[in-house]
Amino acid sequence: MLELGMTFSMEQLVIDNDIINMVKKAMQGVPVSEETLSVESIQKVGIGNNFLALKQTRQLIDYPSSPMLIDRRMFGDWAAAGSKDLAAAAHEKVVDVLKNHQVKPIDADILKDMQAVVDRADKAFKES
C-alpha cells in the first residue's frame, strides 16, 4: 500500500478483484469429464508435444479461472486487437464502473438492524 493506505489505485483494486475471483474459481476445483480429461487429444498430439495449438485447449484454457481483464489470447491475436495491456483494461473497467454502476439498495429490514446496532453503540458511548 502506498503511504500506509492514504492513497490507492482504483485500477489496482480492479486487477486485485480479478485475481481474487480467479483464485476463488480455481479453489472450486476443475470438473473431471471426458471433455476436460481430453484423452483423445492427448493420444492425437502425443505426450511432450504442443497442446496449445489444439482448439480444445484454447476453449478450455479459462475453465479454471475465467479472468475478466487478463487477456490470454496468443501474442499475435492480442497485438492485432490493439495490444491493450492490463493497466489499460483495468482503467477502462474503472471508468465503466464509475459511469454505469448502480448500487443495489439495502433491504429495509437490514437497514433497521444496522441502525439498531448504531443506536446501541451510541447509547453505550454516552453512558460511559
Side-chain angles (χ1 to χ4, degrees):
M1 290 176 65
L2 302 172
E3 296 184 48
L4 300 173
M6 298 299 292
T7 61
F8 68 94
S9 164
M10 289 187 281
E11 288 79 6
Q12 185 63 55
L13 290 175
V14 170
I15 292 168
D16 291 349
N17 183 63
D18 203 25
I19 292 168
I20 290 166
N21 284 332
M22 289 169 56
V23 169
K24 285 170 64 175
K25 183 161 184 188
M27 289 177 65
Q28 293 172 357
V30 176
V32 177
S33 67
E34 290 291 326
E35 180 185 26
T36 59
L37 286 175
S38 305
V39 173
E40 288 181 25
S41 296
I42 292 170
Q43 291 170 341
K44 178 181 173 184
V45 174
I47 296 172
N49 293 316
N50 183 1
F51 289 88
L52 295 177
L54 289 179
K55 183 178 181 181
Q56 183 178 16
T57 300
R58 293 190 309 273
Q59 289 173 333
L60 294 174
I61 198 157
D62 287 335
Y63 206 95
S65 63
S66 299
M68 284 187 330
L69 300 175
I70 295 172
D71 193 331
R72 291 191 174 146
R73 288 180 283 189
M74 299 301 287
F75 183 82
D77 296 335
W78 172 77
S83 307
K84 187 187 325 176
D85 64 17
L86 183 57
H91 180 71
E92 286 179 4
K93 181 66 176 175
V94 166
V95 169
D96 178 62
V97 168
L98 290 173
K99 181 178 179 183
N100 299 311
H101 181 70
Q102 298 291 321
V103 176
K104 182 181 173 186
I106 298 174
D107 183 56
D109 291 336
I110 295 172
L111 281 175
K112 181 181 171 186
D113 292 343
M114 290 170 64
Q115 188 61 51
V117 170
V118 171
D119 292 344
R120 282 193 305 272
D122 284 346
K123 182 179 178 186
F125 178 75
K126 288 176 186 174
E127 292 175 356
S128 62

